[in-house]
Amino acid sequence: MTLCLSVISDTVPPKLIWQIKVRIRSLWKVHSWNDHNTITSLEMILIDEKVGNNVDCTLWAEHAEQMHTYLTDNGYDKSVIVILQLCKPKIFQSIHGISNAFNGTRIFINSNLNESLEYKEKLENGNKSLNQMISYVSSQSNNVSMDDFLKHPKMTIFEVLQCPKVSTVVVLAKTIDFDHTKKWYYQACTKCSRSVRTKSRDLYFCESCVDVLPANPRIRIHVQVADVSGSSTFILFDRVATN
């Protein structure tokens, strides 16, 4: 009789019983917090034939600066081996990934750690299954073509400020500075991406969705710009701010 096997990524509620074929990648014992001689659980990392080779990783604050500095000094076309210690899982727009946990996380970039050196040796020996390319955020393609961009009417900053209705326009202006008095991210609703206010430690209230739910940080940068007609502050969100 042939078993009907599922891959790990398919194991989701509400079904409780699954048949999977996996390999144990790591195995360890968890001891009681108040009695080291007592084992409370046995934990393991499992992998199947359909391995998750790619994972989204978001770095914040000094960790992002450390990564940016390294790539700026060493270039983006070389193999870069990154070890992220004490990171945390995250879900953003239904995509699972990891991010640094601010004070607890340490990042090692092309370090002399044994794990990093062993992985680098496998890469140099031509193990293509391990060859992963690090893509810099600014190299991501923009789905909006230049023709689509230029089809919108052009306005000066003064004309935008006087515009009586919500419109999509093109403004040719020079970036002067960033408004450092404003935070560069905000807590956004996981449904509509609008700003939310704190309800409790892990929950937020969205006035647009009229609901209490978790939230995710999203980029919001205040840029001071100017043209011949005047100056103003433009707010850039997520992908535009990243580029």
Side-chain angles (χ1 to χ4, degrees), residues 1 9 22 31 35 47 53 60 78 80 103 135 142-144 147 164 166 173 189 202 209 213 222 224 235 238 240 243:
M1 179 179 178
S9 58
V22 298
H31 298 267
D35 183 5
I47 60 174
N53 285 330
W60 301 89
K78 300 179 181 179
V80 182
N103 296 331
S135 60
N142 197 326
N143 294 328
V144 180
D147 291 337
V166 177
C189 174
D202 299 317
C209 298
L213 69 173
H222 293 73
Q224 297 173 352
I235 302 177
D238 288 335
V240 176
N243 290 335

Side-chain angles (χ1 to χ4, degrees), residues 51-71:
V51 179
N53 285 330
N54 299 315
V55 61
D56 287 341
C57 178
T58 305
L59 300 179
W60 301 89
E62 67 271 14
H63 300 86
E65 294 178 1
Q66 184 179 345
M67 190 72 198
H68 174 72
T69 300
Y70 181 89
L71 293 175

Side-chain angles (χ1 to χ4, degrees), residues 108-233:
F108 304 89
I109 307 173
N110 277 355
S111 67
N112 291 322
L113 294 174
N114 291 334
E115 293 82 357
S116 181
L117 295 176
E118 290 174 2
Y119 193 87
K120 185 177 182 179
E121 183 180 357
K122 292 180 180 179
L123 288 177
E124 294 176 349
N125 290 336
N127 191 337
K128 294 183 179 180
S129 64
L130 296 176
N131 191 10
Q132 298 291 324
M133 181 183 296
I134 291 185
S135 60
Y136 194 50
V137 290
S138 62
S139 65
Q140 296 177 346
S141 61
N142 197 326
N143 294 328
V144 180
S145 67
M146 184 59 69
D147 291 337
D148 292 335
F149 180 74
L150 294 178
K151 72 180 182 181
H152 299 296
K154 290 197 299 183
M155 284 189 178
T156 64
I157 291 178
F158 177 80
E159 291 172 334
V160 170
L161 296 177
Q162 301 299 317
C163 188
K165 61 181 180 179
V166 177
S167 305
T168 301
V169 300
V170 175
V171 179
L172 301 179
K174 180 179 180 180
T175 300
I176 300 175
D177 199 356
F178 297 94
D179 189 346
H180 302 287
T181 63
K182 302 290 194 305
K183 289 185 176 181
W184 57 276
Y185 72 96
Y186 71 104
Q187 295 295 341
C189 174
T190 53
K191 291 183 179 180
C192 69
S193 299
R194 296 188 178 182
S195 180
V196 294
R197 53 186 174 88
T198 304
K199 185 70 175 179
S200 63
R201 180 177 180 181
D202 299 317
L203 294 177
Y204 299 82
F205 179 75
C206 176
E207 295 182 354
S208 177
C209 298
V210 194
D211 196 7
V212 176
L213 69 173
N216 285 318
R218 301 192 68 177
I219 299 175
R220 180 174 61 189
I221 300 178
H222 293 73
V223 182
Q224 297 173 352
V225 298
D227 63 7
V228 293
S229 69
S231 63
S232 184
T233 299

Side-chain angles (χ1 to χ4, degrees), residues 1-8 10-11 15 17-22 48-49:
M1 179 179 178
T2 303
L3 292 176
C4 182
L5 299 177
S6 301
V7 295
I8 296 176
D10 291 336
T11 56
K15 185 178 178 180
I17 300 176
W18 300 84
Q19 295 183 109
I20 58 176
K21 182 180 179 181
V22 298
D48 57 19
E49 59 183 5

Side-chain angles (χ1 to χ4, degrees), residues 28-43:
W28 64 92
K29 299 175 182 178
V30 178
H31 298 267
S32 173
W33 67 273
N34 58 355
D35 183 5
H36 188 72
N37 296 320
T38 301
I39 298 176
T40 57
S41 64
L42 186 66
E43 299 185 359

